[in-house]
Amino acid sequence: MPLATGLDILQAARAGGYGVGAFNTNNMEITQAILEASEATRSPVLVAVSEGGLKYGGKPLIDMVLAMGREASVPVCLHLDHGSSFESCLRAIRMGFTSVMIDKSHEDEDVNVAETKRVVDAAHAAGVTVEAEIGRLGGVEEHVVVAQEDAILTKPDEAERFMRATGADYLAIACGTSHGANKGKGRPYIDHKRIREIAALLPMPLVMHGASGVPSALVERLNAAGGQLADASGIHEDDVREAVKHGIAKINTDTDLRLALTVAVREVLASKPKEFDPRKILGPARDLMREVITERMQVFASAGKA
Ligand code: G3H
Ligand code: 13P
Ligand code: ZN
C-alpha cells in the first residue's frame, strides 16, 4: 500500500493515547528489522533517515526503503530526521519521503519560525507533513555535542506561539532527554509536568527525541564482547510510558539499534573467528535489532494498533 504521512499515523496515536516509534535506518538489515517488528506486533511505524543516513546510502537506500515500506501490511511513513535546511527537506520530498523534520531549534525563535513556515508551505503543497522543534536537546546531534547544561527545555507558551505561527503538524520538545548513549548520570530526569503543560495547550502530536533506553543488558554484552562504552544511560521505560500518557505520540530511537547491531556483530566475530559470510555476521544483528524494536513497540503501546 502507499506510504502513510507522519500525520496520518501520529494523529491516531495522540487521539488513541499510544506512542509510535520512529526508528533510524541506514541499510537493509536495519530496515528489515524495523518492518519485521512492525508486522509482527501490528504496529504503525515511522522509518527515519537522517541527513547523515542520506549521505551514506543515497537514493538507492531511499528507493529500497520506499519499496520495502510499500510492501508492508501496516502503515509505514518515511521520515527525514533533523532536516537542517529548506533545500534538504525539499530534496527529501522529491525523493518520496512522506514526512520531514525541519530542525532550526538552535536558531533564534524568529528564524526558526520563518524557516519552518517555508518548509511547511512547500511540504503541505506536496501532501507531506512536517515536524518542527523548539527548545534544545543535549547530547550528540549531527556530530555536534551539545552539553547537558546548554540544553534548553521547551517553554509551553513559546511552543504554542511557534505552532500557531508555523502551521507545523507535530512538535519535538525538549523535556530532559538527549541524543546518544550517555544521557546523564543515573536515571535522567524527565520533566513530565512540562510535557503535560505543553500538551494542554497543543492538541497535535508531540515528539520525544533522544528516547533510547540504552538497556544495561546490551551495554554489558557490548563491553563483554570487547566494546568500550562507558557511563552509558538511557530513558527509563516508565518515563516513556508516562510521557505517552500525557501527549507524546512519536518516540525516536536510534542508539538502541546501533547498540544491538554492534553487540551482535561483536559476538559473532568473537565466537566464530572463522566466519566471513556477511549474512552470518549481519543476520544475527538483524535478529537482535528486531527483538529490541519489538520490546519498544510493546512499551509505546503501538502493538496491535495497525
Ligand atoms: O538524532 C540523531 C540520530 O541519531 C541520527 O544520527 O545523524 O548520525 O545519522 P546521525
Ligand atoms: P537516541 O539517540 O536516544 O536513540 O535518539 C535518536 C533520535 O532522537 C533521532 O532523532
Ligand atoms: Zn533526534
Side-chain angles (χ1 to χ4, degrees):
M1 62 178 158
L3 293 194
T5 66
L7 190 62
D8 291 337
I9 292 176
L10 298 173
Q11 219 164 21
R14 170 96 204 243
Y18 59 93
V20 174
F23 298 95
N24 288 69
T25 189
N26 294 288
N27 70 10
M28 183 187 75
E29 285 81 3
I30 304 173
T31 313
Q32 286 175 322
I34 297 167
L35 295 177
E36 286 170 10
S38 307
E39 300 251 7
T41 60
R42 305 306 304 164
S43 281
V45 73
L46 289 93
V47 179
V49 180
S50 68
E51 290 181 349
L54 252 175
K55 198 167 158 204
Y56 178 76
K59 191 171 177 297
L61 170 68
I62 302 311
D63 288 345
M64 181 191 71
V65 176
L66 285 169
M68 290 166 71
R70 288 186 191 117
E71 287 292 311
S73 64
V74 294
V76 175
C77 164
L78 175 58
H79 173 78
L80 176 68
D81 192 27
H82 293 284
S84 62
S85 65
F86 176 79
E87 291 71 25
S88 172
C89 291
L90 224 61
R91 178 168 172 247
I93 292 167
R94 286 202 198 96
M95 290 175 111
F97 283 68
T98 51
S99 171
V100 292
M101 176 185 191
I102 174 72
D103 182 1
K104 290 284 181 185
S105 59
H106 47 284
E107 303 276 6
D108 289 344
E109 189 180 335
D110 54 338
V111 176
N112 193 357
V113 167
E115 290 295 303
T116 299
K117 182 150 183 10
R118 217 174 142 212
V119 170
V120 168
D121 291 344
H124 284 179
V128 170
T129 57
V130 180
E131 174 180 338
E133 176 170 336
I134 190 158
R136 188 183 302 153
L137 264 71
V140 187
E141 209 170 292
E142 292 292 328
H143 310 290
V144 176
V145 179
V146 179
Q148 300 294 348
E149 57 271 24
D150 293 333
I152 303 169
L153 299 186
T154 306
K155 296 180 184 65
D157 58 330
E158 272 179 21
E160 191 195 21
R161 199 167 60 223
F162 178 74
M163 290 308 268
R164 210 175 325 111
T166 60
D169 300 292
Y170 21 105
L171 179 68
I173 59 171
C175 57
T177 63
S178 57
H179 290 106
N182 308 89
K183 299 187 193 296
K185 286 214 181 329
R187 179 169 167 175
Y189 173 74
I190 303 304
D191 193 340
H192 291 290
K193 181 165 169 280
R194 188 176 296 270
I195 300 174
R196 279 200 304 276
E197 286 169 1
I198 296 170
L201 294 173
L202 294 172
M204 60 282 287
L206 302 177
V207 181
M208 178 184 265
H209 282 249
S212 274
V214 192
S216 49
L218 279 186
V219 176
E220 280 159 24
R221 278 173 69 178
L222 183 80
N223 289 338
Q228 291 183 358
L229 189 55
D231 303 324
S233 63
I235 306 304
H236 198 285
E237 53 183 55
D238 287 345
D239 281 320
V240 173
R241 284 195 191 90
E242 191 170 343
V244 166
K245 211 162 62 193
H246 297 312
I248 293 287
K250 173 174 178 279
I251 303 144
N252 288 13
T253 303
D254 185 1
T255 295
D256 286 353
L257 309 193
R258 294 179 179 201
L259 269 177
L261 182 146
T262 309
V263 164
V265 168
R266 278 190 176 280
E267 286 181 348
V268 172
L269 295 180
S271 64
K272 298 180 181 162
K274 294 195 177 130
E275 189 56 74
F276 64 95
D277 179 341
R279 295 165 297 188
K280 301 273 169 49
I281 297 168
L282 293 174
R286 180 173 62 197
D287 294 344
L288 190 56
M289 287 188 284
R290 187 177 55 239
E291 269 176 44
V292 167
I293 298 165
T294 300
E295 278 170 25
R296 289 189 71 71
M297 287 174 163
Q298 319 281 5
V299 171
F300 304 162
S302 63
K305 299 298 194 304

